[in-house]
Amino acid sequence: MLNLPKSTEVGKRIPKQKFYEHLDITPAMRRAFVEQIKVIYWRNKIAATTMNLAIGKDVTELEVFTIKLNGEELDESVLRQIDKEIPYHILFLLQYDDKYQAWIGYKEAAASGNMSFKVNRYYHTPWMMEEDLTLKIEGLSTDAVYENLVRQIAGEALKTRKAGESLEETINREEEVQALKRQIEKLQAKIRKERQLNLQMKMNEELKKLKARLEELQ
């Protein structure tokens, strides 16, 4: 699946209670931890100390967690809670029976600092057999390894538009694309309902601008 060297292996079980006991979380999230998760393993640590990699500017190390589930569903808020408590970037490998799914969030340092992070969005693969879920560890630094994993897992959801476009630029552009699509859909619905011709014409002009910007970004 990952073909990581033995030097990266941790193989440590993490009690799932660590992520919800004595913490201010919702009852729904607590239920998700209790009912949806069997066990959490800290599987690997990808870092300059465990592999022949340079320390990245944004990603100092990347943890690999395997989460064994009771079913195919896992509330995304659970991953957000784990990411919130662990001050490093994380690749999640969800396991249910003999099927696997890879999840990774675009995790950025929060403006407040203090080793705190925020995840804007998660990307994931479909469920597949272990031999079919192949992720390549590519790059000369922990930053590069992380960015390449995000792009592999996101696939078509994060297409590079131009050579040299950074992961941050790709994600910001994709977020603007999705926001524009929502705006266009809402405006088209308003135009269909509008009965006054002058207002229709005004909204159509705005619609043209939004579509032009969308075409520019795609």
Side-chain angles (χ1 to χ4, degrees):
M1 187 186 299
L2 287 170
N3 294 318
L4 287 166
K6 195 169 182 64
S7 56
T8 67
E9 291 179 6
V10 178
K12 180 180 178 182
R13 180 173 176 170
I14 302 177
K16 60 184 181 179
Q17 295 89 339
K18 169 184 172 67
F19 300 106
Y20 62 83
E21 278 188 351
H22 314 301
L23 295 174
D24 185 19
I25 64 172
T26 66
M29 188 186 295
R30 183 181 293 267
R31 279 196 305 273
F33 269 101
V34 172
E35 297 172 5
Q36 296 178 356
I37 294 177
K38 278 185 182 179
V39 65
I40 302 172
Y41 285 104
W42 180 8
R43 175 173 170 160
N44 300 89
K45 172 181 172 179
I46 300 171
T49 55
T50 62
M51 290 185 69
N52 186 24
L53 294 171
I55 299 175
K57 177 185 174 185
D58 301 312
V59 183
T60 55
E61 59 185 70
L62 176 64
E63 318 304 341
V64 183
F65 284 6
T66 296
I67 303 180
K68 293 187 177 182
L69 303 178
N70 291 311
E72 287 192 358
E73 297 297 323
L74 178 64
D75 195 314
E76 189 177 295
S77 65
V78 167
L79 299 184
R80 289 188 180 277
Q81 180 63 24
I82 295 173
D83 258 321
K84 179 181 174 184
E85 296 301 315
I86 303 292
Y88 299 106
H89 294 71
I90 306 173
L91 166 63
F92 295 99
L93 299 175
L94 307 189
Q95 179 185 357
Y96 173 60
D97 288 342
D98 54 357
K99 291 181 292 185
Y100 286 82
Q101 196 176 43
W103 283 68
I104 196 164
Y106 180 58
K107 193 171 185 178
E108 296 179 291
S112 59
N114 301 321
M115 290 295 286
S116 58
F117 289 85
K118 62 175 182 177
V119 176
N120 294 329
R121 179 180 172 183
Y122 282 96
Y123 300 94
H124 64 84
T125 66
W127 284 103
M128 54 183 85
M129 302 300 289
E130 183 175 2
E131 60 269 22
D132 297 325
L133 181 55
T134 304
L135 297 173
K136 297 177 182 177
I137 304 301
E138 298 177 325
L140 300 177
S141 70
T142 47
D143 278 351
V145 168
Y146 169 71
E147 290 197 7
N148 284 322
L149 282 170
V150 173
R151 289 192 185 279
Q152 287 177 66
I153 292 169
E156 287 296 306
L158 279 182
K159 290 187 288 188
T160 304
R161 183 168 172 265
K162 59 184 179 181
E165 184 176 67
S166 70
L167 178 62
E168 183 179 8
E169 288 170 335
T170 304
I171 287 176
N172 289 341
R173 180 173 52 78
E174 181 59 28
E175 286 179 351
E176 187 177 351
V177 164
Q178 296 306 319
L180 282 168
K181 285 180 177 178
R182 290 191 295 270
Q183 284 180 269
I184 288 168
E185 192 176 324
K186 287 180 182 178
L187 192 53
Q188 286 174 328
K190 284 181 72 175
I191 291 170
R192 286 193 295 270
K193 292 178 182 177
E194 184 55 57
R195 294 291 176 261
Q196 294 187 43
L197 182 59
N198 63 325
L199 291 178
Q200 278 187 350
M201 291 174 66
K202 187 176 180 180
M203 285 190 286
N204 270 313
E205 284 301 313
E206 178 61 24
L207 184 61
K208 284 179 185 177
K209 291 177 184 177
L210 292 174
K211 285 183 174 180
R213 176 59 179 163
L214 180 60
E215 188 175 343
E216 186 183 315
L217 290 171
Q218 289 181 316

